[in-house]
Amino acid sequence: MFRKEALEHQKWKSTSVLLSSISSWLVFLLSFTIIVSFILYITFGSYTCRETISQSMQLENKSAS
């Protein structure tokens, strides 16, 4: 009885339509740039300022007399 309507509904249910005003190559280029920038920051960036000390430190032994 409702066979035609059920098939019509199933047809639209399985069909996908992607409407986008941004082209796919632009999305890919932006995503690629962000990922490469993140990897470079993780590899070469630092969270804190690092300093190199050329002299060694010696601890004083202060004993209570």
Side-chain angles (χ1 to χ4, degrees), residues 6 15-16 27-29 33-34 36 44-45 49-50 56-57 61 64:
T15 304
S16 64
V27 172
F28 170 76
L29 185 62
T33 304
I34 291 172
V36 168
F44 298 111
C49 181
R50 297 180 186 176
S56 63
M57 295 175 53
N61 188 7

Side-chain angles (χ1 to χ4, degrees), residues 9-37:
H9 177 71
Q10 187 178 11
K11 174 184 168 188
W12 286 106
K13 184 177 177 183
S14 64
T15 304
S16 64
V17 178
L18 299 176
L19 301 175
S20 177
S21 60
I22 302 174
S23 62
S24 60
W25 68 269
L26 183 62
V27 172
F28 170 76
L29 185 62
L30 183 63
S31 302
F32 181 76
T33 304
I34 291 172
I35 291 170
V36 168
S37 299

